Amino acid sequence: MDDRGNEFYYNQMDKYAKQTVAEGIQKREDIIVTRESEIFKQLNQHYNRNNHIEAPDRLVWVVQESLREFYDAIKLGRHNEPSWKKQIYKIICRLDDTIPDYFKDANFLDKLE
């Protein structure tokens, strides 16, 4: 993801984590993300606009874990500290998979049609 992609992802995590706190979620384990979850659909629509590819199952887990990290930070009040997201970024970065070479091909989308 480029910086704009990262920014959108993290902004969505922040928004939905605050929403889970406001809804009264008490434990991170109570945050369950599925393909039908609003946050997953929102991210998939943003990054995979035309649904050219099916998002891998692992992505559901990564979104869930990312959301849980943001939730923990907000629930524990760390979001009031300067640079509070940096620690979360490091954790999320470890969840990233290597991008397959075929996605890097300039003609990738043409091959799908």
Side-chain angles (χ1 to χ4, degrees):
M1 262 189 276
D2 63 12
D3 288 340
R4 289 184 317 251
N6 286 341
E7 184 178 340
F8 179 80
Y9 184 84
Y10 295 133
N11 284 341
Q12 294 304 302
M13 290 298 142
D14 187 35
K15 171 185 162 184
Y16 282 94
K18 287 176 180 171
Q19 184 177 319
T20 61
V21 170
E23 290 171 356
I25 300 291
Q26 295 298 311
K27 299 181 295 193
R28 69 181 277 133
E29 295 80 20
D30 293 338
I31 298 171
I32 306 296
V33 174
T34 68
R35 289 182 179 276
E36 297 305 313
S37 298
E38 185 179 339
I39 188 171
F40 186 83
K41 287 180 178 180
Q42 187 83 14
L43 292 168
N44 191 49
Q45 181 180 5
H46 180 79
Y47 293 112
N48 190 16
R49 282 188 172 83
N50 296 322
N51 274 328
H52 282 299
I53 59 169
E54 184 172 339
D57 291 334
R58 179 172 162 76
L59 183 58
V60 176
W61 177 80
V62 169
V63 170
Q64 177 176 284
E65 291 306 304
S66 299
L67 184 57
R68 287 175 173 181
E69 289 298 326
F70 270 81
Y71 166 84
D72 284 344
I74 293 166
K75 187 83 171 164
L76 298 172
R78 291 192 306 245
H79 67 293
N80 295 319
E81 301 170 9
S83 303
W84 67 279
K85 292 181 183 176
K86 284 185 180 181
Q87 187 61 35
I88 295 173
Y89 296 164
K90 290 177 185 176
I91 293 168
I92 293 172
C93 191
R94 285 185 246 144
L95 302 176
D96 281 350
D97 281 339
T98 304
I99 297 173
D101 287 336
Y102 58 87
F103 283 123
K104 298 175 187 175
D105 183 340
N107 299 318
F108 170 71
L109 290 176
D110 295 336
K111 293 176 184 177
L112 293 175
E113 296 173 0

